[in-house]
Amino acid sequence: MKDLLVDCDPGHDDAMALLLALASDRVALEAVTTVAGNQTIEKTTRNACRVLTLADRTDVPVARGMGAPLVRDQVTAGWVHGESGLDGADLPEPETEPIERHAVETIAQTAAESGALHIAPVGPLTNVAVALRKHPDIVEDIERIVLMGGTTEDGNITPAAEFNVFADPEAAKVVFEADVDVTMVGLNVTREARLDRDHVARIREMESAITTVVADLLTYFLDVYETSFEWDGVPIHDACAVAEIVEPGVLDTEHTFATVETKGDLTYGRTVADVRGVSDDWPNVEAPNANVAVDIDRDRFVEMLLDAFETYR
Ligand code: BDR
Ligand code: CA
C-alpha cells in the first residue's frame, strides 16, 4: 500500500479524484489537505468534508490550508464548479470537521510519518510550495509528487496558462524546481481523459446513494463543458494524477526540463516543458527535473473510474 495525501480544491474533478483514491486497495489515503482555488478556502474545505462524508470515510483527516496565493491576486473558478464549488448534486452536510493542524504542517507531518509519501496536488500549489520551503527536509520523505496542472499546449484560463498553475504561479515554480520526483499531468493529457453521457448513464444505473450523487455531479460538469466550451464529454482532470499513483504507467511521461513562467505579461503562469528535447541547459534547473505526461491510456483510465464507482454501489 502506498501512502497518499491529496491536496485539493473540490471541485467536481477533485471529488472524483478523492473517490478514486478511497476506492483503491493500492493506496492508503492518509490525509486530505485543502487549498483555495476553484472556490474560497471555506468552500473547498467544506466540500472536502462533504465528499468524505458521502463516501463514509470521515476517518480520513481533512486539514485546511492556504486561503490565498503567495503573490498574485486570488482567482476562483465559480463559472466551472458553481457557487458552492460542487454545484449540481445533493451532497450530505459534513459529518467531519477540519483538524486543528494547518495543511502545510499536515503535509510535513504526514511525510515524516510515512517516510515515502505520494502527494497528488490537484489544485493551486500554494500548500505544497510552503511545505517544501518551510520544511525543506521533507523531500527525503516524499516518494513522488504527481500534480494536475499546467499544459504543453494552450491553457484554459488564459491562452498560455492552465488554471491550477495560473492561480499561484510562484508556488508552482517552487514545486517544479524542488529536489523531488515531480510528474506534471497537464491539460494536454487530461483533455483526453473524458467521460461522456453514456459513461454517466452507466454510473446512474449503479443506483446507490453515492453513485447517484456522482452521476449528478458529472452531469453538471458535462453541461458546463458542453455549453461553455462546446466539448463532447468532460475531462476528469484531477483523477488522472491519482490514477497514475494507483497504477503507474497509465500515463506516458517524458523526463525533461519543466518549470513555470512567472514574469511574462501574456504568459504569466505558463508551464514551459521541453518535451521535444530542444534544450540541454535551463536557467534555475540543473538537469532534467520533471516527468511530463504526454499521453494517457484513456480506456484504462475510464475503466479505473467506473470500477471505483462500482465499489460504492
Ligand atoms: C484544474 O482546474 C480546476 O478547475 C480543476 O479542478 C482542475 O484541478 C483544471 O485546469
Ligand atoms: Ca482541482
Side-chain angles (χ1 to χ4, degrees):
M1 277 274 233
K2 294 170 193 165
D3 294 337
L4 172 65
L5 180 148
V6 176
D7 183 74
C8 58
D9 61 336
H12 294 70
D13 50 331
D14 304 73
M16 302 308 143
L18 290 172
L19 292 171
L20 177 61
L22 289 167
S24 169
D25 55 12
R26 299 191 202 169
V27 298
L29 186 60
E30 297 292 337
V32 174
T33 50
T34 60
V35 66
N38 286 324
Q39 269 297 353
T40 62
I41 189 66
E42 288 74 21
K43 291 180 183 178
T44 60
T45 306
R46 177 177 151 79
N47 288 343
C49 293
R50 291 168 87 198
V51 171
L52 291 177
T53 303
L54 176 74
D56 200 15
R57 289 300 306 274
T58 52
D59 55 301
V60 178
V62 175
R64 174 183 157 130
M66 303 293 285
L70 297 182
V71 176
R72 64 156 305 133
D73 292 340
Q74 187 162 15
V75 283
T76 55
W79 79 95
V80 178
H81 299 275
E83 192 52 40
S84 71
L86 272 183
D87 277 14
D90 278 332
L91 280 138
E93 286 301 306
E95 286 169 16
T96 181
E97 286 190 354
I99 59 174
E100 288 283 305
R101 197 185 310 115
H102 193 276
V104 167
E105 303 310 319
T106 301
I107 292 169
Q109 181 164 330
T110 310
E113 285 169 1
S114 164
L117 185 64
H118 287 72
I119 304 180
V122 296
L125 288 140
T126 325
N127 289 332
V128 182
V130 175
L132 287 164
R133 277 291 166 95
K134 194 172 171 198
H135 300 284
D137 292 348
I138 62 171
V139 296
E140 305 296 328
D141 295 321
I142 296 174
E143 182 79 12
R144 191 177 179 196
I145 294 178
V146 183
L147 66 89
M148 190 283 130
T151 178
T152 63
E153 300 170 348
D154 295 341
N156 59 355
I157 180 144
T158 72
E162 179 279 332
F163 176 79
N164 287 341
V165 174
F166 184 76
D168 198 341
E170 287 76 14
K173 187 172 164 68
V174 167
V175 176
F176 273 90
E177 296 181 9
D179 189 16
V180 282
D181 182 346
V182 174
T183 298
M184 163 184 140
V185 194
L187 296 177
N188 54 301
V189 160
T190 65
R191 278 178 173 148
E192 303 304 316
R194 301 190 203 180
L195 291 182
D196 60 25
R197 291 200 185 268
D198 289 344
H199 296 127
V200 177
R202 279 167 64 186
I203 296 165
R204 197 170 289 289
E205 280 164 16
M206 294 176 191
E207 279 189 337
S208 77
I210 298 177
T211 52
T212 299
V213 170
V214 170
D216 289 346
L217 286 171
L218 289 172
T219 300
Y220 180 93
F221 210 30
L222 268 164
D223 289 346
V224 170
Y225 269 79
E226 213 170 77
T227 49
S228 304
F229 307 122
E230 296 180 359
W231 279 34
D232 191 13
V234 62
I236 315 298
H237 306 282
D238 294 345
C240 298
V242 169
E244 171 65 15
I245 293 172
V246 169
E247 198 170 298
V250 73
L251 302 176
D252 272 351
T253 59
E254 290 285 339
H255 186 57
T256 187
F257 292 97
T259 190
V260 179
E261 176 58 70
T262 55
K263 298 197 176 73
D265 286 340
L266 299 174
T267 53
Y268 186 46
R270 183 181 192 104
T271 47
V272 185
D274 189 18
V275 286
R276 285 176 196 82
V278 297
S279 176
D280 52 16
D281 173 28
W282 271 32
N284 302 332
V285 185
E286 281 174 17
N289 62 309
N291 299 299
V292 176
V294 292
D295 203 0
I296 185 166
D297 182 343
R298 190 233 182 187
D299 290 345
R300 180 65 195 131
F301 172 72
V302 168
E303 191 176 41
M304 286 174 76
L305 276 181
L306 294 178
D307 286 353
F309 298 141
E310 279 282 350
T311 69
Y312 296 108
R313 270 189 125 153

